[in-house]
Amino acid sequence: MRSSRTMMRAGVSLAATLPLLAGALALSIPTASADTAHGRHALQGTKPTWATTSADRGATADSSKVSARVYLAGRDAQGLTDYAQAVSDPQSASYGKYLSPKQVQARFGSSPEQVKQVSAWLKSAGLTVTGTNQHYVSVTGDVAAAEKAFSTQLHNYRKGSHTYRAPAGTASAPQALQNAVLTVVGLDSAPHVVKHDDTLPPPDAVFRNAGPFSSYYGSNTDKKLPSAYGSKAPYAIKGYTGKQLRAAYGAGDKTGKGVTVAITDAYASPYIAQDAAKYAGLNGDKGYKKGQLSQVLPADYTKIEECGAAGWYGEETLDVEAVHAVAPDSNIVYVGGASCYDDDLLDSLSKVVDNHLADIVSNSWGDVEANQTPALAAAYDQVFQTGAVEGIGFYFSSGDDGDQVANTGVKQVDTPANSAWVTAVGGTSLAVGKGDKYTFETGWGTEKANLSDDGKSWTGFPGPFTSGAGGGTSATVAQPFYQRGVVPNSLAKANGSKAMRTVPDIAAVADPNTGFLVGQTQTLPDGTLGYDQYRIGGTSLAAPVIAGVQALAQQARHGIPIGFANPSIYSRYGTPLYHDVTDHPLGQGQGLAVVRNDFANGVDASGGLLTSLRTLGQDSSLKAVVGYDDVTGVGSPARGYVSSFSKR
């Protein structure tokens, strides 16, 4: 997710630590340390881990161009961290005593003098300042000037099958600026991108689900198909709607009235208003009032082909329709990034915080932790901490590739979901029965077995792992205070003797086989544009669903912001306010599955049908068990969760 790296839309699917006060959050983000012998202030974490001696391919040409951002530490970086915890902790005397953006800037933000001093330093090295704001100073220039400014050589390094530029040593700033500079990003040229982990077709080609379907879990079963786990598996549902999700997660009479939810993604769908309105009308949701859905967009978009801009339209559509389905009276503001690169998405998040556009922010994008640099983590955490001080909570999808071994060969978590300052949302397979009754949930993890040619068995049953909720133990972020005593040491210390941040925190429906019905303008088979509906899932669904539930809870709290929610979420652990989700809700050893049909060509039956069995609750090496687990966190919201916030 790094400054020159693009981010991926995370979670849509078809199928050196800062010393804090006692009890404070401990975060593995870079700290600026003094190097007094050389009159420099080291910016730890600015040399990527992949820039090793063995990968070194020599010095980068002095004439090569560099674009970078120098993030500003503000007036009181440690004070920001401390207050962000205090204002979020129900046990603190400062709990809920939020500050306005103006108050935050005056107390913790960068001063005009800091911006002036940092700009002067960079210019004196021969770099050109291309922009300044309260968060950073952006610069461009040649390698020679960058090396002079940051007192480190830039070399070329082999990373996988590519060669990228990176600092040969830790970058630094003048000692006199130690209180002004947080970090620098952009000295390495590896692509810092994010993604949404989906197999969502772009809106330029229609996608349709093949039936038969179940209208609710278990409503339609073909007795002629082979058995699985001792019984006949029902067909996958057509796609849950708001009525079913609100019932499953205990919405009651709350609708999110008076609460604003922000959604950040890259780019923006040109059809979102009409698609959202049509979807609501067709699926029993309240219509949108004037101004209820708004957008804050950049002046221009960049890297359109590289990021697959059109593919992000479906992400925005899912997020908007899911939030509205769960919290139909909440206001929704969509804040689009100019690209899928970290810098642009950071700008979107900063817009929400600088202008307090919302109290709840849903984010369905991310990347694997191994691709994150400590420098970028520091920039993200500064935004999240600032949001916490203002009473803003950030919710991030945990990813769609389970423990990531099948995807990257290494067990790891996703980021920014790994941040100790966000709520990481995991995924479940949800069974809503007749009469919108909550029946059960498993952790989301799918194994797929195709129907044999003779139709008498499931080939290779239960089949290989295809997708599942992201989770696990961070290798870089220390365990935050709110997880102590809840997350078992078997998970927190999975990577060594030190307890680390474990993901996720909470969960909701994500399995695309028990997913959500979404409506979107796409290109139809005859080449015309038209609205169509299909079932979708992923933790890109779970994140906006939880954001919607939190909007209901904030309404129950008489509109008082919940802010950074993790301390409150964990304080409710072990109570009936959560569904304690396990992989075997019907008993240990009792497997569960659904039958799914897909059009071979993704559109209609002319290319044939593909029938498969999709097993539930088999998430790579991750397991949903009694108590906290690394698939579903503390569980999913149950009846009473929303109303419990009225008592605090």
Side-chain angles (χ1 to χ4, degrees):
M1 302 185 268
R2 312 344 19 153
S3 74
S4 61
R5 191 189 83 230
T6 63
M7 285 297 243
M8 303 172 282
R9 294 160 281 168
V12 179
S13 176
L14 289 168
T17 307
L18 281 175
L20 307 182
L21 299 178
L25 294 171
L27 306 178
S28 292
I29 61 178
T31 58
S33 59
D35 184 359
T36 55
H38 299 87
R40 304 289 295 187
H41 179 57
L43 304 174
Q44 301 296 341
T46 47
K47 179 183 177 181
T49 57
W50 46 265
T52 63
T53 301
S54 61
D56 196 336
R57 295 298 182 266
T60 306
D62 285 349
S63 59
S64 295
K65 299 302 178 182
V66 175
S67 295
R69 282 185 179 185
V70 176
Y71 281 89
L72 304 168
R75 291 173 174 87
D76 186 3
Q78 185 62 61
L80 175 65
T81 299
D82 294 342
Y83 196 72
Q85 178 188 324
V87 79
S88 306
D89 185 356
Q91 305 305 313
S92 167
S94 297
Y95 177 57
K97 295 181 180 180
Y98 304 122
L99 305 180
S100 69
K102 186 176 181 179
Q103 289 172 318
V104 172
Q105 175 59 25
R107 184 168 170 178
F108 302 114
S110 59
S111 68
E113 185 62 23
Q114 285 178 322
V115 175
K116 182 179 178 180
Q117 291 173 342
V118 171
S119 298
W121 154 53
L122 296 167
K123 289 177 181 178
S124 70
L127 294 170
T128 299
V129 173
T130 58
T132 64
N133 59 32
Q134 65 194 62
H135 302 291
Y136 59 82
V137 176
S138 58
V139 295
T140 60
D142 56 31
V143 163
E147 290 180 332
K148 180 180 179 181
F150 298 102
S151 191
T152 183
Q153 291 186 328
L154 298 180
H155 282 204
N156 297 322
Y157 294 89
R158 193 70 175 170
K159 183 176 185 285
S161 59
H162 300 279
T163 299
Y164 301 111
R165 181 194 70 235
T170 299
S172 63
Q175 182 65 29
L177 297 177
Q178 63 174 317
N179 294 324
V181 177
L182 176 67
T183 192
V184 57
V185 300
L187 296 182
D188 75 88
S189 62
H192 293 262
V193 307
V194 301
K195 68 177 181 181
H196 59 84
D197 285 337
D198 65 12
T199 52
L200 180 70
D204 56 353
V206 69
F207 176 87
R208 292 171 176 156
N209 301 118
F213 305 107
S214 291
S215 57
Y216 57 85
Y217 187 87
S219 70
N220 187 6
T221 302
D222 188 341
K223 301 297 184 180
K224 297 179 181 179
L225 290 174
S227 296
Y229 300 110
S231 63
K232 302 293 183 178
Y235 279 113
I237 61 136
K238 185 175 183 179
Y240 290 129
T241 60
K243 185 170 180 286
Q244 290 168 306
L245 295 184
R246 283 174 52 80
Y249 295 129
D253 62 355
K254 298 298 183 288
T255 61
K257 186 176 182 179
V259 182
T260 300
V261 178
I263 294 165
T264 71
D265 286 314
Y267 309 104
S269 169
Y271 315 106
I272 188 60
Q274 66 191 56
D275 287 350
K278 186 163 188 176
Y279 178 85
L282 290 174
N283 294 288
D285 296 338
K286 279 189 177 182
Y288 288 79
K289 297 178 182 178
K290 184 177 180 180
Q292 189 177 354
L293 172 61
S294 61
Q295 296 192 97
V296 176
L297 305 178
D300 297 296
Y301 296 115
T302 63
K303 304 176 180 69
I304 292 173
E305 291 186 9
E306 181 180 347
C307 292
W312 286 82
Y313 297 172
E315 180 65 60
E316 178 186 0
T317 304
L318 167 61
D319 293 350
V320 168
E321 292 176 358
V323 169
H324 185 74
V326 175
D329 283 326
S330 66
N331 293 316
I332 300 173
V333 55
Y334 175 78
V335 187
S339 79
C340 63
Y341 274 62
D342 281 282
D343 284 349
D344 290 323
L345 288 163
L346 267 168
D347 285 346
S348 294
L349 294 170
S350 294
K351 285 179 184 178
V352 177
V353 172
D354 294 346
N355 300 287
H356 203 132
L357 298 178
D359 295 327
I360 297 164
V361 190
S362 179
N363 312 272
S364 293
W365 44 267
D367 196 7
V368 295
E369 188 174 66
N371 287 341
Q372 181 168 47
T373 65
L376 246 299
Y380 273 106
D381 281 346
Q382 185 184 62
V383 176
F384 300 146
Q385 291 172 7
T386 303
V389 168
E390 293 182 19
I392 301 172
F394 296 87
Y395 300 80
F396 275 87
S397 52
S398 69
D400 285 6
D401 293 301
D403 61 12
Q404 288 289 350
V405 170
N407 182 40
T408 69
V410 178
K411 187 179 289 190
Q412 59 182 311
V413 298
D414 276 24
T415 181
N418 66 339
S419 171
W421 294 101
V422 307
T423 299
V425 183
T428 72
S429 300
L430 172 66
V432 179
K434 188 175 183 180
D436 302 331
K437 181 181 178 181
Y438 176 91
T439 304
F440 64 79
E441 281 174 285
T442 72
W444 169 39
T446 304
E447 293 176 337
K448 174 185 175 182
N450 293 319
L451 185 65
S452 64
D453 291 340
D454 61 10
K456 295 181 179 180
S457 64
W458 300 109
T459 303
F461 172 83
F465 169 77
T466 63
S467 56
T473 307
S474 172
T476 64
V477 183
Q479 185 181 68
F481 78 98
Y482 52 78
Q483 289 197 319
R484 296 172 192 159
V486 174
V487 178
N489 282 337
S490 59
L491 294 177
K493 297 183 178 181
N495 297 327
S497 60
K498 184 178 179 180
M500 304 297 284
R501 167 82 160 116
T502 310
V503 174
D505 301 304
I506 196 169
V509 57
D511 187 346
N513 304 296
T514 66
F516 178 67
L517 191 67
V518 67
Q520 179 189 357
T521 294
Q522 300 172 86
T523 301
L524 304 178
D526 63 2
T528 63
L529 289 178
Y531 174 91
D532 219 310
Q533 298 192 154
Y534 53 90
R535 180 187 64 242
I536 197 169
T539 53
S540 270
L541 167 61
V545 167
I546 289 296
V549 171
Q550 293 299 95
L552 308 178
Q554 183 165 315
Q555 181 191 4
R557 207 170 183 238
H558 310 291
I560 300 172
I562 296 169
F564 174 47
N566 284 9
S568 294
I569 287 172
Y570 281 84
S571 72
R572 289 164 168 78
Y573 171 72
T575 72
L577 300 178
Y578 296 114
H579 301 121
D580 189 358
V581 180
T582 70
D583 287 332
H584 301 284
L586 304 186
Q588 193 63 34
Q590 178 58 57
L592 292 162
V594 296
V595 173
R596 173 169 150 180
N597 281 337
D598 291 286
F599 294 125
N601 61 14
V603 178
D604 55 38
S606 64
L609 284 178
L610 304 175
T611 302
S612 61
L613 183 82
R614 308 296 177 107
T615 295
L616 312 183
Q618 296 294 327
D619 189 7
S620 54
S621 67
L622 310 179
K623 307 296 179 184
V625 299
V626 173
Y628 177 93
D629 59 67
D630 54 5
V631 181
T632 68
V634 298
S636 67
R639 184 186 301 273
Y641 175 83
V642 167
S643 61
S644 73
F645 282 83
S646 66
K647 304 171 185 177
R648 302 206 177 189

